[in-house]
Amino acid sequence: MARYQAVIFDLDGTLLDTLEDLADSTNFALAAHGFPRRSLEEVRRFVGNGVGNLIRRAVPEGTSPEAVERCLADFKAHYLTNMQNKTHPYPGIPELLKALKAAGCPAAVVSNKFDGAVKGLCRDYFGGLLPVALGETPERRKKPAPDLVVSCLEALGVPASGAVYVGDSDVDIQTADNAGLPCLSVTWGFRDRSFLLEHGASVLAETPQELLGLLL
């Protein structure tokens, strides 16, 4: 039996390991403009606040806003056709989502990744296991603002009091707090346990199996 009426997940670093594809598209865009490459660990630190901020952090200091926008456009175009080259679900995630569905607990995704990529990845990797998947759009503020979570809850027909948010970053902790949801933090993603604890995590899961035990 599920402890919640719905579970809202972050995507990158929580359900999918997307880091290498994000890094490849970042370096493609940087190279196209003659900028230095970034390492995988640098990109790991840059992600979490949307691809706009990823590129702004990746370009050299002092890059003009116009050049940043051109680099971002190149990133998006490359990522949309290369976002499944190395990306894969974390081990145990498909089984977790299937268990939630079997328990009658709908799962959804709210991500700061741009909306087209979020919907495409959720469809291709998880099929009908995630009936609602929302990403960044011009109409809604990205996380940690609560807008996307509020829209997701409305689509699910579930009140904030009946839902929980699951993520791997400080942004996810802030998002849950701003939306009035409890947050479960996972340690297998882009931020480690000590970082999460320093940024206010209260309940942590080391594995998808442990997370499932917190949800059912």
Side-chain angles (χ1 to χ4, degrees), residues 96-117:
L96 180 151
L97 294 177
K98 290 173 184 175
L100 288 176
K101 184 175 182 179
C105 181
V109 160
V110 163
S111 170
N112 272 347
K113 188 189 291 290
F114 56 105
D115 194 60

Side-chain angles (χ1 to χ4, degrees), residues 144-161:
D147 302 34
L148 287 164
V149 173
V150 171
S151 295
C152 183
L153 291 170
E154 290 173 351
L156 292 169
V158 173
S161 59

Side-chain angles (χ1 to χ4, degrees), residues 22-46:
L22 287 168
D24 288 349
S25 290
T26 297
N27 283 321
F28 171 87
L30 293 173
H33 294 267
F35 297 146
R37 291 175 56 87
R38 292 292 192 168
S39 70
L40 195 65
E41 287 310 306
E42 285 177 314
V43 174
R44 183 191 298 274
R45 294 198 304 271
F46 296 159

